[in-house]
Amino acid sequence: MAYVRVFDNETQVAGAAAVIIASAILHKPNVILGLATGSTPIPTYRELIRLYQNGVLDFSRVITFNLDEYCHLPAEHACSYHYFMRKHLFENINISAGNTHLPNGNAPDLAKEGIRYDMAIETAGGIDLQLLGIGRNGHIGFNEPAEQFTYESHVADLTPSTMEANSRFFEEEDMPFQAISMGIGSIMSAKEILLIATGMDKAEAIRKSLQGDIRPQIQASILRTHPKAVYLLDQAAASQLDCSKA
Ligand code: PGA
């Protein structure tokens, strides 16, 4: 069962998430972090940058693997996750570029790229702490609702709900309809999982993932079978939880 903690607002969620990540780095300077993109983790990354600027954190030996990347979008594109990570975290801390990893959505053979990415994670020693957001449809990474869980990194067709949610970032052009995503296997193999969710539009996905059946139609529900999964929520994201089931 996941440990759930509810905070008043998004700032407090970010503060708590940053403390957990900072503690992992302080305990293991060469920690392997799984990282996420999207609006939710931005305040957490801001907190981590502040801790670095204050001399609390040293990222020089930290290794990162991101969850996903769009297919067929240049890494330099302002909507790519390569660009997102540089802008919101990497260029503001002393991490070594060679220690940061994202799947290559422009690889000529995307199936091979998935295999390469999983092997890279495994060879590095597996993820110590995986940071996750959650989609309105319960996805984690781009593991979209499906008939079964996909364990390997794979190319995912984005669902209409994800396309609608993410199209806000693509102003003048069509957004990609596919992404390459870490699978449920690498996520669940992480030693610890930290899921953050804020805002009313996540309330239903949070309720279904924590209090509905464990099923691939709500991919995040599998996190309940992880021995060390922590959910940090704001009041809005927690608002549909039935406290009698806690
Ligand atoms: P968001 O995305 O943080 O932008 O809401 C989260 C997700 O889709 O996993």
Side-chain angles (χ1 to χ4, degrees):
M1 188 62 205
Y3 173 80
V4 182
R5 184 80 206 268
V6 181
F7 295 86
D8 284 343
N9 54 51
E10 153 184 284
T11 309
Q12 290 179 358
V13 170
V19 165
I20 291 173
I21 297 168
S23 157
I25 297 170
L26 291 167
H27 279 100
K28 186 178 175 191
N30 60 344
V31 69
I32 302 183
L33 298 177
L35 296 180
T37 53
S39 306
T40 315
I42 292 175
T44 300
Y45 292 151
R46 217 178 284 134
E47 263 311 288
L48 290 173
I49 293 165
R50 200 176 59 82
L51 290 169
Y52 163 70
Q53 287 168 344
N54 290 349
V56 178
L57 291 180
D58 173 12
F59 286 85
S60 60
R61 295 174 60 203
V62 171
I63 296 167
T64 66
F65 285 91
N66 263 81
L67 283 167
D68 43 26
E69 177 59 284
Y70 289 112
C71 293
H72 313 301
L73 192 68
E76 310 73 45
H77 193 287
C79 292
S80 81
Y81 289 162
H82 281 76
Y83 183 92
F84 175 102
M85 289 309 300
R86 279 199 302 277
K87 177 163 164 252
H88 291 290
L89 187 62
F90 298 155
E91 70 184 20
N92 303 299
I93 56 175
N94 66 333
I95 199 161
S96 145
N99 284 350
T100 67
H101 306 272
L102 287 94
N104 176 6
N106 291 295
D109 183 335
L110 289 165
K112 270 197 193 146
E113 172 59 11
I115 295 167
R116 183 201 70 77
Y117 200 61
D118 286 342
M119 275 181 61
I121 295 170
E122 206 180 310
T123 307
I127 291 165
D128 290 305
L129 175 61
Q130 175 68 56
L131 177 66
L132 295 174
I134 186 169
R136 288 184 297 184
N137 61 8
H139 75 197
I140 44 178
F142 277 126
N143 292 280
E144 297 282 49
E147 293 303 312
Q148 62 224 347
F149 293 107
T150 302
Y151 289 90
E152 299 80 25
S153 289
H154 59 282
V155 173
D157 294 331
L158 306 185
T159 61
S161 132
T162 299
M163 296 280 292
E164 189 201 322
N166 289 16
S167 60
R168 68 189 192 274
F169 299 110
F170 290 81
E171 281 170 5
E172 284 165 7
E173 56 196 301
D174 292 341
M175 69 170 283
F177 54 88
Q178 286 187 317
I180 179 162
S181 178
M182 205 187 270
I184 291 299
S186 293
I187 294 174
M188 288 297 287
S189 299
K191 295 177 190 77
E192 287 181 58
I193 289 181
L194 175 58
L195 185 144
I196 52 176
T198 54
M200 205 58 94
D201 61 340
K202 299 297 171 67
E204 187 182 353
I206 287 297
R207 175 176 53 79
K208 287 181 173 167
S209 77
L210 282 170
Q211 295 182 331
D213 292 338
I214 295 174
R215 58 194 177 105
Q217 287 79 9
I218 301 291
Q219 295 267 321
S221 62
I222 198 161
L223 300 175
R224 273 158 49 210
T225 67
H226 192 283
K228 278 189 159 185
V230 173
Y231 275 54
L232 303 182
L233 313 173
D234 69 356
Q235 298 273 7
S239 60
Q240 287 191 21
L241 288 176
D242 178 351
C243 296
S244 65
K245 289 192 185 166

